[in-house]
Amino acid sequence: SQQGEEDPQALSIQEGENATMNCSYKTSINNLQWYRQNSGRGLVHLILIRSNEREKHSGRLRVTLDTSKKSSSLLITASRAADTASYFCATDSSGNTGKLIFGQGTTLQVKP
Amino acid sequence: GAGVSQSPRYKVAKRGQDVALRCDPISGHVSLFWYQQALGQGPEFLTYFQNEAQLDKSGLPSDRFFAERPEGSVSTLKIQRTQQEDSAVYLCASSTGQDYKNIQYFGAGTRLSVL
């Protein structure tokens, strides 16, 4: 079963705009990760935030984590057509195995 | 190899047929994971290996699913007597198994269609 939900399920924006995706989860976590999946491909790791961190940046990506609300958000700034993909949050509650529980994903379309 | 390799990329099976899906992880990666991804859904955990030891198989949906990694590198996911509900993309991922990060590197997946 999925760990939580992502919101929105689908998002369509113009190139240059910012895209925000939200993720909620149910159990306590060690870390939360965001992955991208292009159509017909495997997942690519984007960014990891630990449970004791509140915000993390990587290039055009900004991730926030609120453990009291069991939620996270991913912001992609100045979006490009190449950012079109599905985005998944995944939580690691495993202790030390690294087993991930994924959300249902947000499908992002960036129009040129 | 440079990344995680899965074969075949596509597999069509008749209901009741047995299938075997192969995963070649990144060389030296200790941890190996199998996930099942239904259309339009996120991946769901199936099983986890640390080297050759299968430490968690809690996600395997039935006893028709079996995974092995006998020498701690290549892994095979076997599905016996396939059913239509087994149709999905099967993803393999590997990680170093070290430190808290455990970032997983995914293969492109095997798309299984059971007719």
Side-chain angles (χ1 to χ4, degrees), chain A residues 6 8 12 15 17 42 59-60 70 77 80-81 84 87 102-103 108:
Chain A
E6 292 185 56
S12 182
E15 209 165 26
E17 295 180 339
R60 294 184 295 112
K70 291 187 168 59
T77 59
R80 305 166 182 169
T84 294
Y87 292 81
F102 285 84
L108 172 66

Side-chain angles (χ1 to χ4, degrees), chain B residues 35-82:
Chain B
Y35 295 87
Q36 180 189 59
Q37 186 175 23
L39 189 63
Q41 301 294 314
E44 293 205 10
F45 171 81
L46 293 177
T47 187
Y48 159 69
F49 290 86
Q50 185 178 92
N51 295 308
E52 69 278 5
Q54 188 175 21
L55 299 185
D56 186 343
K57 52 182 181 179
S58 61
L60 296 177
S62 76
D63 58 9
R64 296 186 297 103
F65 286 72
F66 171 77
E68 60 183 4
R69 194 186 184 199
E71 296 177 358
S73 56
V74 170
S75 177
T76 304
L77 176 67
K78 297 179 179 178
I79 309 174
Q80 297 176 324
R81 303 180 305 281
T82 52

